[in-house]
Amino acid sequence: MSTIQEISRRRTFAIISHPDAGKTTLTEKLLLFGGAIQTAGAVKSNKIKKTATSDFMEIEKQRGISVATSVMTFEYRNMKINILDTPGHKDFAEDTYRTLTAVDSVILVIDCVKGVEEQTERLMEVCRMRDTPVIIFINKMDREGQAPFDLLDELEAKLNIRVRPLTWPVNMGSDFKGVYSLYDKTMNFFRINKTKVEDDVVEIDINTPVLDEKVGERDAAQLREDVELIEGVYDSFDRQPYLDGKVAPVFFGSAVNNFGVKELLDTFCDISPEPIARATDKRVVKPEESKFSGFVFKIHANLDPRHRDRIAFLRICSGTFERGKFYHHTRLDKDIRFASPFSFMADSKSLVEEGFPGDVVGLYDTGTFKIGDTLTEGEDLQYTGIPSFSPEIFKELVNLDPMKAKQLDKGIQQLTDEGVAQLFTLPIGNRKIVGTVGELQFEVIQYRLEGEYGAKCRWTPMPISKACWLTSDDKRKLDEFVRLKGMQIAYDKDQNPVFLAESDWILRMNIQNNPDIKFHTTSEFKTAVEA
Ligand code: G4P
C-alpha cells in the first residue's frame, strides 16, 4: 500500500464526555465492531472512582490501566482507526486537553438525562479553539431523558456550535422504540440486547401505514411531525461545515445496549477527516510530505520503583516513522534513535517497525522529552498549539531539606515537563509556584519528589485564582507592566511573563487599566480575556 493510501485510511480521534455519560461503554462497543476485543467488559474503565480520591496510589494503579488503553487501534471497513483515550477524572483535565491536540476529530458523548454538563463545556471550548470536527452521540436513550429538541437547543446554546440531527429517536425510556435515520431513511428498532453487534434495520417510508404498524399510531404521528420540523428548521447535512468545525451531526442511541453505535461508526467512517495538515512555528506541514515529523503530546511516568521508565506518546504528522532510524529532537538540537518504539492495542503493546501520519507510537524515554517536543528528519521546526491552560489551584513549593535543593529543582522541572502540573517562578527569591487543576496533583508531586528524587517538600497555598500569559504589541509597555507588578509576575518554563491574579476582580481591573497589555488564559495566545 502506498503512503498516500496509508494516510487516507487513517482516522485518529478521541471520545470525550463528562464522567459517567458512557465514554468507556461506547469505546468498548466500537472496539467490538472492529474485532479488536471479543467480549464486552474487556476495556477497563480508566475513570477514577470517587471513593479513591484520597488514595492516589490507587489512582496511579488506575492510571497504569489507562496506559494500556491510551491508544486503541482497530481496523474497520479497511480503515485504521486510532481512538485516543482521555482521562475521566477532572483533576487530569490538562491531560485531556493535550490529547485533543493530537486528534483530527472527536466524538462527544452526552447523557440524555443530564444534558450538557460542566466538563463537556470545557472540553468543547478546547475543540472550538482549533475548530476540531465534532460528532455528538446522545446516549442512554433507554432512560427517561430530556426532550430531544430541548437537548439540541441546549447543545447549541452551551457548546457554541450548530447541530444537525442525522438520526431521530422514537420515544425514549421504557417506551424507546428505536431511531430513524434521516440520512438513509431507515428505521432501527430497539431491543434490549447487550451483546448483539448487528442492528435490526429496515428501510421505511415514514409516510406509509407500515410505520404505524411498527411503532403504533401515536409514535408514528410524532415521528412524522418531528421529521417535518427538522427538515424545516435545520439545513440539510453537508460535510464541509462539519469538517470546518461549524456544524456537529447528532446521533441518538444507547451504548450499553450497543444500539445506534453501528450507524455512528459507519457515518464516522464516511465523513470524518483523515490526518490533517498541522501548524509549526515555521510553516504548515502536510501529512503526505515525504519527510517524517511528529510531536509528543503526552508523557506517562511509571511509578513502580522497579520500572522507572517513562513513555512519551508521539503523534506522527508527516512522512513515515521507522524503527531504529535517527531523528532530530529540535528543542535539544540532537539526533536520537528509538530501538523499540511500540504501538498500542486494546490490551497489549507491540513493537512497531513503521508508522504513518495519524498513528501514535510509544517511545521509551529517560527524561529527554517534554510535552510539545518535535521530532523531524533534520528540519528545524516545532509543532505549535500544545496549550497550557490557567491552572486553578496554586501552591508554593517549599523545600524541607536544604541539602537536597538540587534534587528538588531537578525533580520539579522533570515532573512539570511531563505535564503533571505547571511551574511558575517568581524572580525574587527564585520562589517556585506550582499550579494544577486538581488537589490530587500536589499529593502526586510530593510523593514522587520524595520517592524518585529524594527531596522532601511541603506546600503553602497561594491566594491566586488565575494565571494569565501576557503579550503586547508594544514591548516597552509590557516591560514596564512587568516591572510595576513585581510580585504578581512570574515566569513560565519558557520564560514567558505570567500575571498571577488574586481574584477575578483584580484581573478585570488590570485588564481595564492596561489597554495595551493582552491577558491570555492559555499559553496559546489566540484569544485575550476581555474585562
Ligand atoms: P464514562 O466512561 O463516560 O465515565 O461512563 P461509562 O461508560 O463508565 O458509563 C457510566 C455508566 O453508565 C455505567 O454504569 C454504564 O453501564 C452506564 N451506561 C452506559 N451507556 C448506557 C446506556 O445506553 N443506557 C444506560 N441505561 N446506561 C448506560 P455503572 O452502573 O456506573 O457501571 P456498570 O456497573 O454498569 O459498568
Side-chain angles (χ1 to χ4, degrees):
M1 208 180 288
S2 72
T3 308
I4 298 294
Q5 283 169 322
E6 288 285 5
I7 297 170
S8 64
R9 75 186 198 96
R10 272 163 174 77
R11 296 291 181 275
T12 302
F13 75 107
I15 304 182
I16 55 175
S17 76
H18 190 90
D20 274 344
K23 180 169 68 76
T24 311
T25 314
L26 180 65
T27 307
E28 180 175 286
K29 303 301 171 186
L30 293 175
L31 294 180
L32 275 172
F33 278 111
I37 53 170
Q38 305 306 327
T39 52
V43 177
K44 300 280 180 305
S45 167
N46 76 1
K47 126 182 100 169
I48 290 153
K49 302 274 181 296
K50 290 174 196 79
T51 49
T53 44
S54 58
D55 178 0
F56 81 85
M57 279 319 285
E58 180 57 28
I59 288 159
E60 278 305 325
K61 243 189 262 157
Q62 298 193 25
R63 265 174 43 120
I65 294 170
S66 79
V67 168
T69 61
S70 283
V71 184
M72 286 162 283
T73 301
F74 65 95
E75 299 258 343
Y76 182 74
R77 283 184 18 188
N78 197 31
M79 282 183 171
K80 187 168 179 221
I81 299 178
N82 298 312
I83 307 182
L84 272 49
D85 197 15
T86 53
H89 196 288
K90 178 180 167 294
D91 285 8
F92 294 101
E94 279 260 331
D95 261 7
T96 303
Y97 301 153
R98 283 189 292 257
T99 298
L100 291 179
T101 63
V103 301
D104 299 307
S105 71
V106 306
I107 293 181
L108 169 65
V109 184
I110 300 275
D111 179 334
C112 72
V113 183
K114 299 200 171 130
V116 175
E117 297 172 84
E118 183 204 334
Q119 217 162 310
T120 321
E121 286 186 58
R122 301 198 54 187
L123 292 168
M124 273 296 283
E125 266 172 40
V126 181
C127 294
R128 303 267 48 76
M129 282 170 68
R130 45 178 50 77
D131 298 324
T132 308
V134 180
I135 295 179
I136 300 174
F137 183 72
I138 300 186
N139 190 27
K140 306 197 184 179
M141 290 306 290
D142 57 322
R143 290 209 178 146
E144 296 298 337
Q146 300 175 33
F149 280 114
D150 291 351
L151 277 169
L152 296 186
D153 286 348
E154 190 184 339
L155 288 169
E156 290 203 333
K158 290 196 175 160
L159 302 183
N160 195 16
I161 190 165
R162 279 189 294 136
V163 298
R164 181 24 161 134
L166 289 188
T167 65
W168 195 252
V170 177
N171 243 316
M172 61 170 64
S174 54
D175 210 14
F176 181 45
K177 304 236 166 86
V179 293
Y180 174 67
S181 167
L182 296 148
Y183 200 48
D184 45 38
K185 317 280 183 243
T186 53
M187 181 77 206
N188 186 1
F189 292 100
F190 178 66
R191 266 177 223 114
I192 291 185
N193 184 346
K194 300 196 185 210
T195 52
K196 77 173 168 25
V197 168
E198 285 306 317
D199 289 349
D200 179 11
V201 182
V202 291
E203 252 178 62
I204 203 160
D205 177 349
I206 58 167
N207 293 314
T208 61
V210 183
L211 184 68
D212 301 69
E213 276 166 36
K214 293 269 192 191
V215 300
E217 271 177 38
R218 189 197 53 162
D219 288 338
Q222 186 66 50
L223 178 63
R224 289 181 191 118
E225 201 181 294
D226 289 351
V227 169
E228 203 182 318
L229 191 62
I230 293 164
E231 304 298 358
V233 170
Y234 295 97
D235 294 339
S236 59
F237 177 72
D238 191 3
R239 188 177 176 223
Q240 198 53 48
Y242 154 72
L243 291 178
D244 295 339
K246 305 291 178 236
V247 174
V250 177
F251 290 82
F252 291 84
S254 169
V256 79
N257 291 297
N258 209 348
F259 184 79
V261 178
K262 185 166 185 300
E263 280 133 329
L264 175 75
L265 181 57
D266 282 332
T267 312
F268 172 82
C269 290
D270 289 343
I271 67 172
S272 64
E274 50 187 72
I276 49 174
R278 285 171 182 268
T280 69
D281 57 350
K282 303 272 162 37
R283 62 187 187 86
V284 170
V285 175
K286 296 204 186 89
E288 57 275 17
E289 290 181 19
S290 60
K291 295 242 162 78
F292 157 79
S293 69
F295 67 90
V296 171
F297 64 94
K298 172 171 168 161
I299 294 174
H300 188 99
N302 197 339
L303 280 199
D304 183 342
R306 284 162 303 167
H307 308 279
R308 185 71 55 68
D309 50 346
R310 306 203 302 179
I311 297 166
F313 291 73
L314 177 93
R315 149 94 197 205
I316 302 175
C317 298
S318 69
T320 309
F321 172 90
E322 287 169 55
R323 180 167 87 91
K325 202 166 159 179
F326 274 98
Y327 290 119
H328 189 61
H329 187 310
T330 58
R331 181 176 58 88
L332 300 179
D333 190 17
K334 188 170 142 186
D335 291 339
I336 310 179
R337 62 191 283 275
F338 302 93
S340 22
F342 57 89
S343 66
F344 305 81
M345 289 309 276
D347 50 7
S348 62
K349 292 187 262 188
S350 55
L351 203 66
V352 39
E353 293 299 333
E354 57 176 15
F356 297 94
D359 286 344
V360 172
V361 289
L363 306 173
Y364 289 107
D365 171 39
T366 47
T368 37
F369 284 120
K370 188 162 136 164
I371 303 263
D373 278 348
T374 300
L375 291 179
T376 68
E377 276 189 46
E379 193 175 348
D380 180 23
L381 50 79
Q382 178 85 29
Y383 278 95
T384 54
I386 317 275
S388 296
F389 292 82
S390 171
E392 288 163 25
I393 308 172
F394 296 82
K395 294 188 182 181
E396 182 176 353
L397 177 72
V398 182
N399 185 9
L400 288 182
D401 182 354
M403 305 298 289
K404 295 282 170 65
K406 258 200 186 134
Q407 284 86 335
L408 189 79
D409 249 30
K410 183 173 172 215
I412 195 67
Q413 286 293 344
Q414 288 200 345
L415 295 186
T416 48
D417 280 352
E418 270 174 35
V420 179
Q422 288 181 57
L423 180 64
F424 303 100
T425 309
L426 288 169
I428 302 166
N430 201 22
R431 289 166 62 191
K432 292 189 167 44
I433 312 292
V434 173
T436 70
V437 286
E439 283 289 346
L440 268 175
Q441 272 86 347
F442 291 106
E443 273 183 63
V444 173
I445 294 169
Q446 195 168 11
Y447 177 89
R448 291 190 54 190
L449 282 174
E450 197 170 336
E452 295 170 33
Y453 301 91
K456 279 200 168 64
C457 74
R458 70 176 165 77
W459 299 106
T460 308
M462 298 290 285
I464 299 168
S465 79
K466 218 169 229 124
C468 283
W469 282 264
L470 303 169
T471 58
S472 175
D473 297 333
D474 186 339
K475 186 171 177 311
R476 212 173 32 88
K477 291 231 163 80
L478 180 62
D479 289 347
E480 188 170 307
F481 181 79
V482 165
R483 191 173 51 80
L484 280 175
K485 291 295 160 185
M487 291 295 285
Q488 282 169 296
I489 302 288
Y491 290 86
D492 74 2
K493 295 184 67 127
D494 301 318
Q495 301 311 313
N496 296 307
V498 178
F499 180 69
L500 302 176
E502 281 180 31
S503 67
D504 286 352
W505 184 83
I506 290 180
L507 177 60
R508 269 201 312 278
M509 291 305 295
N510 275 280
I511 295 173
Q512 267 168 16
N513 296 339
N514 298 281
D516 296 316
I517 310 288
K518 291 197 184 82
F519 295 72
H520 312 266
T521 47
T522 87
S523 62
E524 214 175 59
F525 304 152
K526 210 168 159 185
T527 44
V529 194
E530 303 287 336

